[in-house]
């Protein structure tokens, strides 16, 4: 809860996630965050990836599901070999607060806070770095 209280993301044109970095896909259902996304994260090292470092982005695909006030973001990296899940609740229309769970190693669980900038961008923060989504 302290991480959520201390992490107050704001929409910014200079944010790392502001410039498009994924293949733009206009086929998604506009006006909702549900559906397919591109994902990426950095800030920690994945020991299963040779040469990985905290400052390197790990990219993959993601999917968002909304159930009442909860948002679930399932995503992968390392060509789909590794998977993570963000389980968050909405705090207002744009703020998401929850946790990241490494599905390959569920002991790895950290707090996560997200900002829904639009139906094309979610800026996400965990204690060591970022987990972002773009369409």
């Amino acid at each position: 809860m302290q991480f959520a209280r201390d992490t107050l993301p704001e929409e910014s044109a200079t944010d790392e996630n502001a410039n498009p970095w994924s293949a733009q896909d206009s086929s998604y259902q506009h006006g909702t965050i549900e559906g397919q996304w591109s994902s990426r994260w950095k800030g920690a090292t994945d020991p299963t990836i040779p040469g990985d470092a905290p400052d390197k982005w790990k990219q993959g695909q993601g999917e968002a599901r909304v159930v009442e006030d909860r948002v679930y973001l399932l995503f992968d990296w390392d060509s789909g070999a590794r998977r993570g899940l963000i389980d968050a609740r909405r705090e207002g229309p744009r703020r998401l607060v929850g946790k990241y769970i490494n599905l390959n190693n569920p002991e790895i669980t950290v707090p996560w806070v997200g900002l829904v900038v639009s139906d094309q961008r979610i800026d996400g923060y965990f204690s060591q770095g970022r987990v972002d989504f773009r369409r």
Side-chain angles (χ1 to χ4, degrees):
M1 293 308 296
Q2 182 175 346
F3 179 75
R5 279 191 301 273
D6 295 343
T7 306
L8 303 170
E10 294 183 18
E11 184 176 346
S12 168
T14 60
D15 185 88
E16 289 182 90
N17 201 25
N19 292 323
W21 48 265
S22 65
Q24 300 230 323
D25 179 10
S26 61
S27 65
Y28 66 92
Q29 183 179 350
H30 295 269
T32 181
I33 63 170
E34 286 197 290
Q36 301 301 309
W37 290 81
S38 293
S39 65
R40 69 178 185 172
W41 70 274
K42 75 172 184 174
T45 303
D46 183 335
T48 68
I49 301 174
D52 189 30
D55 64 337
K56 291 185 178 179
W57 287 104
K58 281 65 87 175
Q59 292 191 328
Q61 300 302 307
E63 181 179 356
R65 298 268 173 108
V66 178
V67 179
E68 297 179 5
D69 70 337
R70 311 267 336 155
V71 175
Y72 301 96
L73 296 155
L74 179 66
F75 63 100
D76 65 32
W77 67 96
D78 194 18
S79 301
R82 313 284 292 163
R83 294 175 7 136
L85 175 68
I86 293 171
D87 173 1
R89 69 179 167 9
R90 286 188 179 271
E91 288 188 351
R94 296 177 31 156
R95 184 172 164 85
L96 304 173
V97 175
K99 62 185 172 184
Y100 155 78
I101 305 160
N102 183 315
L103 296 178
N104 294 83
N105 185 357
E107 293 82 39
I108 301 173
T109 302
V110 295
W112 181 88
V113 173
L115 176 68
V116 178
V117 176
S118 70
D119 61 7
Q120 297 178 4
R121 175 179 156 195
I122 300 173
D123 298 350
Y125 302 83
F126 69 103
S127 55
Q128 295 172 287
R130 301 289 299 258
V131 180
D132 294 332
F133 297 87
R134 287 298 302 233
R135 298 198 229 205

